[in-house]
Amino acid sequence: MENGSQKWRFQGNKRLNSTSAISIRGIMDMLIGNLSTDDPRPIIPLGNGDPSQFPCFRTSTTAEEAIVDALHSTKHNGYAPAAGVPSARRAIANYLNRDLPYKLSPNDVYLTSGCIQAIEVALAAITNPGANILLPRPGFPAYESRAAYENLQVRHFDLLPDKGWEVDVDAVQALVDENTVAMVIINPGNPCGNVYSYDHLKLVAETARKLGILVIADEVYSHLTFGSTPFVPMGVFGSIVPVLSLGAISKRWVVPGWRLGWLATSDPNGILQKTGIVESITGYCNITTDAATFVQGAVPQILENTKDEFFSKLIGTLKEAAEKCVDGIKEVPCLTFPSKPEGSMFVLVKLNVSLLEDIGDDLEFCMKLAKEEKVIIIPAGMAFGMKNWVRITFACEISAVEEGLRRIKAFYQRHAKKQ
């Protein structure tokens, strides 16, 4: 048979193409691809939440030594149990129990390859034919893409910018039908930089209970707060509504590349067990990959021995960087923010394109900014469903934050409409 006449019976999975089209990685690649190769200035990365490249955000020596010790022990070179190394599950349960009014057991914790895989496990476990899930807008795009892959229908409830990005509880109630299974909250907030109060989280829990749905609480930025509102885990309200609590060492220890996350069933009433969710989580863990065994082996030492001084320094650096970021944004007339960030590593900023001469939306703003100034920020219309908003991270060296905002100001001045 001649070349070109052979008929092949395989082809790519088009569903993967569509579900992965919108991701932070994909958007970052697009923006980086638009950078000018003629500009000798360094890139200012105000796009993603990975400050590990900056010396001021180096992880704790305790964490580094824990990894070395785990490797040298030769005890963690083999396959791990599907749900995780028992000592790591126990350490994470103890770590989470510091903030809870009841006690999780190691059996309530499932280790994952970063928080992204925890999202995958959670959504796979709750998916049934015809089911739908409520996602926040703005929210983290991994939920959207994973739900599409699982054929889990998505409905969006708005976060209210004028109320500190609180959940629009009335909208949640209006969206629910007999096929709604869960809602997602992200606290501290990505992309908004908000932190929810105890009272608001309790209201969310009571609303979910009334509607008969569980809460998926994305707390990967837990304890990274520097405003007036302290972090409260959603699991505190596990006796009101069952909660799947998602977390990781990625952000608080600034080691996203170590890929160590978890899913915890915060459910003292055992509802997730009775409804088969726990069995589904276990089943999914049995057919998927897991976090590297030696990293799991290091978890007890990381969680138990990291000194408070490390966390205090990290929070201080984030707070100072956030203040510099906010001050810089105020110098750019086309950018405004409804509230200062109080947590995570981001602030969501409204873009007024009517003040600009030749820029039509947030995507064009970010693409031209990358090309002309070598500054990367995220267009929130494409990434988070918030057209003409942008997400800026302040998790960088202070000098990089200040330089980035200076370049954004210069960019605005070049493109501002003439009066």
Side-chain angles (χ1 to χ4, degrees):
M1 189 174 291
E2 295 181 4
N3 289 340
S5 59
Q6 172 69 49
K7 181 179 180 181
W8 300 108
R9 301 184 184 278
F10 52 83
Q11 59 179 325
N13 183 345
K14 292 182 174 59
R15 191 150 59 97
L16 278 176
N17 297 340
S18 59
T19 58
S20 65
I22 303 303
S23 67
I24 298 298
R25 284 180 176 177
I27 293 169
M28 288 285 293
D29 288 344
M30 179 181 64
L31 294 169
I32 291 170
N34 208 46
L35 293 169
S36 171
T37 57
D38 299 327
D39 190 337
R41 295 178 298 174
I43 301 168
I44 304 295
L46 305 183
N48 65 347
D50 179 6
S52 59
Q53 64 182 290
F54 299 105
C56 64
F57 284 100
R58 180 174 175 173
T59 192
S60 69
T61 55
T62 299
E64 295 171 344
E65 290 166 359
I67 292 290
V68 173
D69 291 347
L71 284 170
H72 284 171
S73 75
T74 72
K75 295 177 181 179
H76 307 291
N77 294 336
Y79 294 118
V85 171
S87 61
R89 298 176 76 189
R90 187 180 310 111
I92 293 168
N94 291 339
Y95 171 72
L96 297 175
N97 284 339
R98 300 173 192 175
D99 300 317
L100 296 176
Y102 55 90
K103 297 299 182 185
L104 298 175
S105 80
N107 291 334
D108 296 320
V109 176
Y110 302 82
L111 272 72
T112 58
S113 181
C115 198
I116 287 288
Q117 192 185 35
I119 294 171
E120 295 175 5
V121 175
L123 267 57
I126 64 172
T127 297
N128 282 298
N132 67 72
I133 186 171
L134 310 185
L135 300 183
R137 183 172 49 214
F140 187 53
Y143 287 95
E144 198 97 29
S145 57
R146 192 66 200 183
Y149 186 78
E150 295 287 349
N151 287 321
L152 182 60
Q153 186 187 121
V154 167
R155 299 178 180 183
H156 293 100
F157 60 88
D158 288 332
L159 304 183
L160 303 172
D162 296 332
K163 294 185 177 181
W165 299 103
E166 287 186 345
V167 173
D168 186 342
V169 174
D170 292 337
V172 168
Q173 297 183 78
L175 289 169
V176 168
D177 64 16
E178 66 277 5
N179 294 318
T180 307
V181 294
M183 66 179 293
V184 171
I185 64 162
I186 304 172
N187 182 48
N190 177 12
C192 303
N194 59 297
V195 181
Y196 290 137
S197 68
Y198 178 98
D199 289 342
H200 185 64
L201 291 171
K202 185 178 181 182
L203 176 61
V204 170
E206 291 170 340
T207 301
R209 177 185 177 89
K210 182 171 69 174
L211 299 171
I213 62 177
L214 64 85
V215 176
I216 298 173
D218 186 326
E219 296 170 346
V220 73
Y221 290 96
S222 66
H223 296 285
L224 292 184
T225 61
F226 41 82
S228 59
T229 308
F231 169 70
V232 177
M234 192 70 198
V236 165
F237 308 102
S239 60
I240 297 176
V241 65
V243 178
L244 298 181
S245 301
L246 314 186
I249 64 172
S250 306
K251 307 300 182 180
R252 197 179 186 199
W253 276 267
V254 203
V255 286
W258 291 9
R259 312 310 301 142
L260 192 289
W262 59 78
L263 179 153
T265 53
S266 303
D267 177 34
N269 297 322
I271 297 168
L272 297 175
Q273 184 75 50
K274 295 170 187 173
T275 54
I277 297 296
V278 169
E279 183 180 1
S280 295
I281 292 170
T282 302
Y284 191 87
C285 289
N286 281 329
I287 63 170
T288 190
T289 187
D290 44 38
T293 308
F294 73 89
V295 181
Q296 295 190 45
V299 164
Q301 191 173 328
I302 293 172
L303 297 187
E304 294 163 12
N305 297 343
T306 301
K307 299 288 190 283
D308 288 341
E309 290 78 8
F310 168 76
F311 298 124
S312 297
K313 181 182 177 183
L314 176 63
I315 293 298
T317 302
L318 281 173
K319 182 176 183 179
E320 183 182 359
E323 290 170 350
K324 296 294 185 183
C325 185
V326 164
D327 290 343
I329 291 169
K330 290 177 180 177
E331 296 294 315
V332 185
C334 66
L335 299 179
T336 55
F337 50 89
S339 56
K340 292 182 179 181
E342 291 199 324
S344 77
M345 299 177 176
F346 311 102
V347 59
L348 196 63
V349 180
K350 187 166 182 58
L351 172 67
N352 185 352
V353 293
S354 70
L355 298 180
L356 301 170
E357 191 68 53
D358 53 354
I359 293 175
D361 59 21
D362 55 305
L363 177 58
E364 189 173 8
F365 182 90
C366 293
M367 290 289 282
K368 288 185 175 179
L369 179 66
K371 187 175 185 63
E372 296 178 24
E373 294 290 347
K374 296 188 76 171
V375 176
I376 304 293
I377 62 175
I378 300 297
M382 175 179 284
F384 311 114
M386 295 286 284
K387 187 174 177 62
N388 291 335
W389 291 70
V390 296
R391 188 189 76 174
I392 301 174
T393 181
F394 43 81
C396 305
E397 293 276 8
I398 302 295
S399 59
V401 174
E402 292 177 319
E403 173 63 15
L405 269 298
R406 278 195 293 269
R407 293 191 198 177
I408 293 173
K409 181 179 180 180
F411 177 81
Y412 163 76
Q413 290 171 338
R414 221 170 25 252
H415 292 273
K417 282 185 177 178
K418 304 300 184 286
Q419 299 298 323

